Amino acid sequence: MNGVNMAHFALYSSALLVSITGIVFTLIQQRTDKLQNKIYLALISIIALNSVTQMINAIIQPMILTSDGAFFVYRVCDWLYFLFHAALCPIFFVYVSVVCGMGKFARLRKNLLFGALFIITELLTILNPFLHWVYDYSGDRVFVRRWGEAMIYIAAVFYLGISFFRLLSSWSALTAKRRLALIYFFIIVIAGVVMQLVNIDLRTELFAEALGLLGVMTSIETEDDRIDIDTGVYNRKALQNDLSTYIVNKRPVGVICIKITNLELLERTGSFDSSDILTTVVAAFLRTMVPRYCIYSTSPGTFILTETTGSEERAGKIAHIVSRRFDRPWHFGDTELLLNAVVMTSQAPERIKSAGDAFYMADSPIPADLDKKILSGRDLDYLMRRAAVESALARGLEEGGFEVYYQPTYTLKDRRLYGAEALIRLHDRELGNIYPDEFIPIAEQNGLIDDIDDFVLREVCGFIKSGDPSSLGIKSINVNLSVIECMQPGFVRHINAVTEEYGIDKSAINFEITESLAASSYELLSKVVKALKSDGFRFSMDDYGTGYSNMRAIFMLDFDVVKIDKSILWSAEESELGRIILESSVHMIRQMHRKILVEGVETEKQIEMLTALSVDYLQGYYFSRPVPKKELLALIRG
Ligand code: C2E
Ligand code: CA
Ligand code: CA
């Protein structure tokens, strides 16, 4: 290799190796379907091609003076180099735009403006063999620059400049990793170009660009932390990033949320792994509706699709087709499954103003009274109410808006006062009075239930400590416990600590828990009940007859009292079947040697019916509604 500039050759071949590494890894990870991936592949391929032409020229440089053929190849390589290299910065600009979430450029005029310089430089290069405006060769076949090359440099600086500007304007939409990778790319490319400008023998430009793009690959093009391992679709983090990017850029997208509502039930009855079904059949179906990279799963059984043209009509259509698909069974192996799903559609950025809004829609349970299968527009107002209640809960805890009411209970035999149930109320300055049926489930989901139940327990302890209840004949006060809370570690210790702080008799507190538990949790719950009972507390089972739990498991828990739900009482009045259910419930509970309380007693007639069945205790509006502490005392004294 006589006369070959080995330093040039080494740098060009290094650039080639690095860019080939980038291409190979992009291909083996199959990252080729997104627009962003395609543009990346174009960029790194340009570097590879440029490296090849420059390597060839480094080799044949010593021969061009003596051989016309070599000189021809040399000129072709130079020409190809300029042709591709002039496209690098404009394509990089498009790449940054896509990474920053601009998508396709909406307005043609803007496209033309941004594209004009690119088109001019490419035309100059294409015509250079005839016009020689970009570069030329002197009589002794030495490369000479012409004004056109300066133009290409100016264009490159322009495109890098607007790329940088775009990066800054989408700064908040980018993750730290992406910002760093792009900034690093700018720095290393500028360094490479400047070194080569200072000394033409330092051919660092291509190598620097290849390295910069490799960095971009490992941090921007990678998908590992964006994919849910169970279903192979994008995860919450990916949705968070992508939606934030769309929203920061004010780019309209349709957000379609699919919630499968019977997954838990199916898992409890059948012995299959739901994630398999979701991956193989449901996700595969969704891929026929939108591209792979527009499908996310925020939790098992909940999918979000993004409709990136932003057309509300298209989003509505997709929702319709998806919803219709769920009317038909899904085939999985040789089983056939019917999945129930509710499909919600909303638009960003008008209604979905942040990624958090989309998560809120995906995570909030759908109210039981909404019987539609597709929810959009005003149907989703419940989310606003829910958000308002959540703020009211936080406000209530902060500003003391919670109040404990008491509803007395009576013995059936002589209709004497027996006890009272503590029931929480929330008075909010914005929403007015809010009732526990609405806010307890929300508090259970967002974790505020701990503070609320703690507040109730402390109120009740204080009330008992005042001595008023016992002096009026109230033996114990019932406190509702959220089952979710009972399962938390340290719960038993906490309850004991609070009551001991007040120095009250533990048997004066009777905890109520509801039997709406998955069978798997009984073991833990029974341990909690056993521990608290051995400490002296009493226990009641609440809402008997509303759940679908395992009877044996229920009676293995050592309850003092079983509270028959008001719905059982009311339907006993209405139908023969209802009466049978009430009667047999009473017989069964009696045989288990538990005391029976019936709630929801509103009329004398109901009391007659219950007298015939000889239950133990009664509670209901017939005697009193839940009332504030003062009123309860006045009521009893009166
Ligand atoms: P629950 O434990 O079944 O409470 C009985 C509910 O029935 C109360 O509703 C009570 O006001 C109502 N009620 C009682 N007698 C009658 C009657 O004769 N007719 C009618 N129509 N209703 C009657 P409330 O106070 O709205 O509480 C609703 C639910 O919220 C409670 O159901 C309980 O599950 C939950 N809850 C209430 N306070 C607390 C609390 O401090 N902590 C927890 N975790 N849950 C609570
Ligand atoms: Ca209760
Ligand atoms: Ca109840």
Side-chain angles (χ1 to χ4, degrees), residues 404 407 421-425 435-437 439-440 444 449 452-453 456 479-483 485 512 514 542-543 563 565-566 570 599-602 606 619-622 624-626:
V404 176
Q407 186 178 33
E421 178 178 4
L423 293 159
I424 187 91
R425 297 290 179 264
Y435 288 87
D437 275 335
F439 69 72
I440 293 287
E444 282 181 337
I449 189 72
I452 295 173
D453 278 354
V456 176
V479 174
N480 291 284
L481 283 182
S482 160
V483 174
E485 211 202 337
E512 297 189 3
T514 303
D542 207 354
D543 298 340
K563 296 183 78 172
D565 193 69
K566 44 189 179 281
W570 296 344
E599 61 173 24
V601 177
E602 292 182 345
Q606 289 167 339
Q619 175 181 356
Y621 290 178
Y622 176 83
S624 166
R625 289 178 175 259

Side-chain angles (χ1 to χ4, degrees), residues 131-146:
L131 299 172
H132 311 293
W133 286 349
V134 180
Y135 59 85
D136 201 359
Y137 300 92
S138 63
D140 45 0
R141 297 187 172 176
V142 173
F143 181 91
V144 241
R145 290 178 165 150
R146 293 263 188 266

Side-chain angles (χ1 to χ4, degrees), residues 67-79:
S67 150
D68 281 348
F71 186 47
F72 178 75
V73 174
Y74 189 81
R75 278 185 324 207
V76 170
C77 283
D78 267 347
W79 184 69

Side-chain angles (χ1 to χ4, degrees), residues 328-590:
R328 290 186 289 117
W330 302 82
H331 297 277
F332 179 67
D334 36 46
T335 45
E336 214 177 57
L337 268 177
L338 208 57
L339 297 174
N340 299 336
V342 176
V343 182
M344 296 171 257
T345 62
S346 195
Q347 297 289 120
E350 299 89 53
R351 260 159 297 177
I352 304 259
K353 293 187 175 65
S354 69
D357 286 353
F359 286 128
Y360 201 73
M361 175 166 84
D363 295 340
S364 302
I366 295 153
D369 54 354
L370 272 180
D371 53 0
K372 288 191 192 171
K373 284 187 178 167
I374 298 179
L375 307 178
S376 63
R378 302 228 60 142
D379 299 334
L380 294 171
D381 282 356
Y382 73 86
L383 290 170
M384 264 139 72
R385 169 73 188 177
R386 197 185 148 86
V389 170
E390 269 187 68
S391 328
L393 286 176
R395 237 184 344 254
L397 283 169
E398 212 165 90
E399 301 171 3
F402 284 103
E403 189 182 0
V404 176
Y405 276 36
Y406 296 89
Q407 186 178 33
T409 58
Y410 294 82
T411 58
L412 174 102
K413 224 187 270 161
D414 40 18
R415 301 205 191 169
R416 263 207 352 249
L417 180 71
Y418 168 68
E421 178 178 4
L423 293 159
I424 187 91
R425 297 290 179 264
L426 174 56
H427 313 291
D428 184 59
R429 59 179 147 84
E430 280 175 29
L431 301 183
N433 287 341
I434 317 173
Y435 288 87
D437 275 335
E438 181 177 18
F439 69 72
I440 293 287
I442 297 176
E444 282 181 337
Q445 226 209 352
N446 73 6
L448 288 180
I449 189 72
D450 294 6
D451 295 332
I452 295 173
D453 278 354
D454 206 52
F455 167 79
V456 176
L457 181 62
R458 284 175 182 278
E459 276 291 309
V460 170
C461 287
F463 187 32
I464 292 169
K465 196 181 160 114
S466 74
D468 290 334
S470 62
S471 71
L472 293 168
I474 294 178
K475 289 182 192 62
S476 64
I477 292 187
N478 287 28
V479 174
N480 291 284
L481 283 182
S482 160
V483 174
I484 297 176
E485 211 202 337
C486 298
M487 306 290 203
Q488 280 168 14
F491 176 73
V492 173
R493 209 170 340 116
H494 174 73
I495 295 287
N496 274 306
V498 172
T499 45
E500 277 156 24
E501 191 187 315
Y502 286 83
I504 53 163
D505 182 5
K506 290 175 185 172
S507 67
I509 292 185
N510 187 322
F511 289 117
E512 297 189 3
I513 45 178
T514 303
E515 48 123 354
S516 61
L517 261 191
S520 60
S521 313
Y522 271 110
E523 218 166 293
L524 181 56
L525 185 63
S526 82
K527 267 192 199 138
V528 170
V529 173
K530 206 178 265 168
L532 284 174
K533 284 210 64 163
S534 72
D535 290 330
F537 295 100
R538 291 160 193 259
F539 264 88
S540 298
M541 178 200 290
D542 207 354
D543 298 340
Y544 176 88
T546 55
Y548 36 69
S549 308
N550 178 334
M551 286 295 159
R552 211 178 74 90
I554 292 171
F555 285 104
M556 268 163 53
L557 298 177
D558 186 16
F559 289 108
D560 301 281
V561 180
V562 174
K563 296 183 78 172
I564 295 182
D565 193 69
K566 44 189 179 281
S567 62
I568 303 274
L569 171 67
W570 296 344
S571 57
E573 271 192 305
E574 279 162 17
S575 72
E576 178 67 11
L577 182 67
R579 203 183 46 78
I580 294 171
I581 292 175
L582 176 67
E583 271 176 20
S584 48
S585 298
V586 169
H587 287 312
M588 192 172 76
I589 302 166
R590 168 119 323 119

Side-chain angles (χ1 to χ4, degrees), residues 17-166:
L17 288 177
V18 173
S19 46
I20 284 180
T21 307
I23 294 173
V24 168
F25 275 86
T26 303
L27 292 180
I28 56 175
Q29 308 219 0
Q30 299 186 330
R31 289 191 301 250
T32 49
D33 57 345
K34 271 206 259 187
L35 179 64
Q36 178 189 320
N37 305 144
K38 290 188 180 116
I39 301 172
Y40 177 79
L41 214 50
L43 283 172
I44 195 123
S45 304
I46 287 177
I47 304 291
L49 272 170
N50 280 167
S51 309
V52 171
T53 55
Q54 296 300 79
M55 280 163 73
I56 295 173
N57 276 5
I59 293 171
I60 59 178
Q61 165 102 53
M63 296 178 259
I64 56 173
L65 264 181
T66 49
S67 150
D68 281 348
F71 186 47
F72 178 75
V73 174
Y74 189 81
R75 278 185 324 207
V76 170
C77 283
D78 267 347
W79 184 69
L80 285 174
Y81 176 85
F82 273 92
L83 204 61
F84 284 112
H85 211 72
L88 194 68
C89 287
I91 296 179
F92 182 70
F93 167 64
V94 177
Y95 181 73
V96 172
S97 302
V98 171
V99 169
C100 292
M102 309 284 182
K104 298 177 201 102
F105 303 123
R107 267 170 298 161
L108 187 69
R109 218 170 345 134
K110 227 175 168 183
N111 281 338
L112 281 180
L113 184 74
F114 281 136
L117 257 180
F118 166 66
I119 293 168
I120 294 170
T121 52
E122 283 294 324
L123 273 177
L124 284 176
T125 313
I126 290 170
L127 297 175
N128 195 64
F130 314 104
L131 299 172
H132 311 293
W133 286 349
V134 180
Y135 59 85
D136 201 359
Y137 300 92
S138 63
D140 45 0
R141 297 187 172 176
V142 173
F143 181 91
V144 241
R145 290 178 165 150
R146 293 263 188 266
W147 61 269
E149 189 176 342
M151 206 57 207
I152 292 179
Y153 267 101
I154 290 170
V157 169
F158 169 75
Y159 285 113
L160 279 183
I162 55 175
S163 305
F164 195 71
F165 184 74
R166 188 138 277 185

